[in-house]
Amino acid sequence: MSPTPRAMNPRTPNARARKARWGIPVAAGSALALVGGVLLWSPAEEAGASPAAGPRAGFTAVAAGDIAEQCTASSSSCKHPKTAALVKQINPSFVMTMGDNQYDDARLKDFKNYYDKSWGAFKSKTRPVPGNHETYDPAGSLAGYKSYFGSIAYPRGKSYYSFDQGSWHFIALDSNSFDDDEQIDWLKADLAANSKKCVAAYWHHPLFSSGGHGNDPVSRPVWKLLYANKAELVLNGHDHHYERFAPQNPDGRADANGIVEILGGMGGANPYDIEEVQPNSQKRITKSFGVVKLNFTDTGFSWNLVATDGSTKDTSPSYSCR
């Protein structure tokens, strides 16, 4: 059943909204504790807060797109088994894939022969979205993708869905059909019905990218909806590199209360070059494979880019939800 629509909240300024949302990198200035098996995290700017405020429970997720080339671990040059090994080591609460899960035509037999041999180990806790390569299947657009993931990718019979964890609402979208009024109407209703404090969304085609595909305007209407509803975070793939952007609005203007975008297309496919650095792009890494390890709390988020050699290639600032 579709959520009951309600009026969307206007982006009215207030004392909280005007406050800058980022701080120092987590690795450098956060307090961490393990209590009862739950990771508790206090950002640097609040580490000295009164004990009465209490710690805030957190959880970890992993994200990557553009994953399984037609190769297996028997080939030393095959990268997706190596990024899968990172996921196993991190052991996140769930996994988000940002499309192009299987190359080149995403047929069911290819999913079984390649993706399933590596990232398939986490299938039960994977929350995928399709990319353009999933539409190339000779059996029909998304046929292999739907057959492989089943209700995991189609929990409500559609290729887009949402789910909650802690104080977070996650929205998984199919950017192959952003011109579909039904998906857009569903997104409006889903955002209107959301009661969670923090919102993240993910899909394949990025609105902002410094890579070969560049900025894709197909995503701008979705960005506008997310921005109007005070979403915090967008994750994309498509360009085969890593990139993070400072908070910005749907028109690409810096905005301290805008949306943070992460481009994480380094899950295993051949890397792309950086071609034209976009405004608000803070960090770009290519020719390096890995996963984005996301650290979520009740009131914010941060992340690390972990490479297949085990090194941390990037550490983000910490951000607060609005």
Side-chain angles (χ1 to χ4, degrees):
M1 180 179 295
S2 297
T4 303
R6 71 183 183 211
M8 288 188 290
N9 295 327
R11 207 179 184 83
T12 52
N14 53 45
R16 185 172 177 274
R18 287 193 296 268
K19 183 180 178 182
R21 294 194 296 123
W22 59 87
I24 62 176
V26 173
S30 296
L32 288 168
L34 192 64
V35 180
V38 177
L39 181 66
L40 302 175
W41 178 76
S42 177
E45 63 269 24
E46 296 184 12
S50 167
R56 295 176 299 177
F59 61 93
T60 298
V62 160
D66 307 277
I67 298 169
E69 294 279 8
Q70 293 187 12
C71 60
T72 64
S74 62
S75 169
S76 61
S77 63
C78 192
K79 302 300 183 182
H80 62 91
K82 295 178 172 64
T83 56
L86 291 174
V87 182
K88 181 179 180 180
Q89 181 181 13
I90 294 168
N91 190 25
S93 296
F94 58 91
V95 175
M96 293 178 282
T97 66
M98 287 91 77
D100 284 3
N101 305 276
Q102 177 61 59
Y103 288 88
D104 285 327
D105 298 333
R107 297 168 296 182
L108 177 58
K109 68 176 184 179
D110 295 330
F111 269 106
K112 290 180 176 179
N113 288 335
Y114 307 109
Y115 182 96
D116 195 61
K117 297 292 193 297
S118 58
W119 284 63
F122 326 109
K123 184 177 177 180
S124 64
K125 63 178 178 180
T126 296
R127 304 294 176 260
V129 295
N132 53 294
H133 278 267
E134 275 81 14
T135 70
Y136 301 159
D137 188 344
S141 180
L142 308 189
Y145 170 81
K146 185 175 184 179
S147 295
Y148 178 74
F149 284 111
S151 61
I152 292 171
Y154 287 75
R156 48 180 300 278
K158 301 291 183 181
S159 56
Y160 45 90
Y161 56 95
S162 63
F163 60 96
D164 295 329
Q165 176 115 353
S167 63
W168 282 83
H169 184 62
F170 294 91
I171 306 172
L173 297 170
D174 180 359
S175 56
N176 297 299
S177 56
F178 274 173
D179 58 351
D180 179 356
D181 290 341
E182 184 180 1
Q183 181 174 193
I184 298 302
D185 289 344
W186 173 85
L187 176 60
K188 291 176 182 177
D190 183 80
L191 286 166
N194 171 51
S195 62
K196 296 295 184 178
K197 178 181 179 64
C198 309
V199 176
Y202 59 105
W203 63 85
H204 189 59
H205 301 83
L207 178 57
F208 304 106
S209 173
S210 300
H213 287 301
N215 298 352
D216 196 327
V218 72
S219 299
R220 184 165 283 111
V222 171
W223 257 74
K224 288 182 177 180
L225 286 172
L226 293 168
Y227 181 85
N229 284 271
K230 300 183 180 180
E232 332 296 333
L233 174 64
V234 161
L235 301 108
N236 301 126
H238 200 38
D239 269 332
H240 300 180
H241 70 277
Y242 166 82
E243 187 166 12
R244 64 174 162 93
F245 289 84
Q248 57 189 323
N249 69 21
D251 296 319
R253 291 194 294 269
D255 181 344
N257 295 295
I259 299 173
V260 173
E261 182 195 299
I262 305 172
L263 201 161
M266 65 294 133
N270 291 331
Y272 294 169
D273 291 333
I274 302 299
E275 295 198 359
E276 183 177 353
V277 176
Q278 298 300 305
N280 307 312
S281 175
Q282 293 183 315
K283 184 83 172 184
R284 299 157 302 281
I285 299 174
T286 191
K287 298 181 175 60
S288 181
F289 299 91
V291 299
V292 178
K293 178 184 177 184
L294 292 140
N295 313 299
F296 295 103
T297 73
D298 286 346
T299 58
F301 66 102
S302 64
W303 71 90
N304 307 101
L305 174 64
V306 185
T308 52
D309 64 2
S311 65
T312 297
K313 294 290 188 180
D314 187 37
T315 298
S316 76
S318 59
Y319 293 94
S320 298
C321 301
R322 293 190 299 284

